[in-house]
Amino acid sequence: EAGVAQSPRYKIIEKRQSVAFWCNPISGHATLYWYQQILGQGPKLLIQFQNNGVVDDSQLPKDRFSAERLKGVDSTLKIQPAKLEDSAVYLCASSTRDSLSYEQYFGPGTRLTVT
Amino acid sequence: AQSVAQPEDQVNVAEGNPLTVKCTYSVSGNPYLFWYVQYPNRGLQFLLKYITGDNLVKGSYGFEAEFNKSQTSFHLKKPSALVSDSALYFCAVRGDLDYKLSFGAGTTVTVRA
């Protein structure tokens, strides 16, 4: 089966600009996650969707980050305006359902550099 | 709050030797433990998980991990390392009182020929 797709793979922007990332999860996966991975750290959950509803966005900086998952399939994560500290790899993951025992499948990530 | 500690930033072993990557965790309730591997410019790949049952869990590519409840550890092991095992390894935990998956900072494994 096809894996989690993300685009773009790389993005360089100046601070205060806006940027958007796209994710297409594995077909049939109801749960979708966005993570931020800063260099030298493990991934940190930003937001979790169950179908097209938000389950957890407690660690999403809502003053500048937004995400949506229309129709319960593809998802978009947006940053506006970007700050230097937003430089990171943004990972999308999906799983068949939101269960403690289910592993997540990750996309290749989008590497964002804010200058 | 739940957390994961990977005490070694780097592990270096010779090909053919045993490989161990250490992980300890803190979680409320029962732990659900995972190991992922990350190759350069690629996303995380699932290796194995402990949910319940046998403390020794076997996973992909010859890896296994041992769950130790009293020591709150979940160390990753491979009896004979390969050069191709060189990568970044992450331990992660979820608790049945906090569904978020929390990751450690990662351990870089280098296997020399």
Side-chain angles (χ1 to χ4, degrees), chain A residues 2-23:
Chain A
V4 176
Q6 289 187 248
S7 68
R9 292 294 310 276
Y10 305 91
K11 190 74 177 178
I12 300 174
I13 62 173
E14 295 182 351
K15 60 183 179 184
R16 291 187 290 274
Q17 287 186 324
S18 63
V19 65
F21 313 128
W22 173 83
C23 172

Side-chain angles (χ1 to χ4, degrees), chain A residues 2-94:
Chain A
V4 176
Q6 289 187 248
S7 68
R9 292 294 310 276
Y10 305 91
K11 190 74 177 178
I12 300 174
I13 62 173
E14 295 182 351
K15 60 183 179 184
R16 291 187 290 274
Q17 287 186 324
S18 63
V19 65
F21 313 128
W22 173 83
C23 172
N24 181 242
I26 292 173
S27 178
H29 280 196
T31 310
L32 185 146
Y33 313 81
W34 282 102
Y35 288 87
Q36 180 191 58
Q37 185 180 13
I38 294 173
L39 187 64
Q41 300 180 19
K44 182 185 82 171
L45 179 69
L46 291 175
I47 188 167
Q48 176 183 336
F49 292 93
Q50 181 71 21
N51 296 310
N52 60 350
V54 175
V55 174
D56 186 341
D57 63 357
S58 58
Q59 300 187 106
L60 186 74
K62 298 182 186 63
D63 58 334
R64 298 183 300 107
F65 286 64
S66 65
E68 61 182 9
R69 190 183 185 196
L70 299 177
K71 301 180 181 179
V73 181
D74 294 5
S75 178
T76 303
L77 177 69
K78 297 179 181 177
I79 307 175
Q80 181 179 9
K83 293 185 175 181
L84 295 176
E85 58 261 35
D86 298 332
S87 294
V89 175
Y90 290 85
L91 296 166
C92 180
S94 69

Side-chain angles (χ1 to χ4, degrees), chain B residues 1 3 12 25 29 42 50 56 60 75 77 80 85-87 90:
Chain B
S3 63
N12 298 303
Y25 66 89
R42 296 179 67 178
Y50 171 82
L56 184 63
S60 307
H75 301 330
K77 300 180 181 182
S80 179
D85 293 329
S86 298
F90 288 98

Side-chain angles (χ1 to χ4, degrees), chain B residues 46-103:
Chain B
F46 168 74
L47 277 180
L48 51 77
K49 64 183 177 183
Y50 171 82
I51 304 303
T52 187
D54 195 347
N55 289 343
L56 184 63
V57 178
K58 294 187 183 296
S60 307
Y61 313 119
F63 283 94
E64 57 188 31
E66 186 167 11
F67 171 65
N68 188 315
K69 186 174 183 178
S70 62
Q71 297 185 4
T72 60
S73 66
F74 188 55
H75 301 330
L76 181 70
K77 300 180 181 182
K78 187 170 185 179
S80 179
L82 301 173
V83 172
S84 56
D85 293 329
S86 298
L88 181 57
Y89 290 81
F90 288 98
C91 181
V93 68
R94 303 178 94 170
D96 52 15
L97 298 180
D98 186 344
Y99 273 46
K100 279 195 290 293
L101 187 62
S102 297
F103 286 84

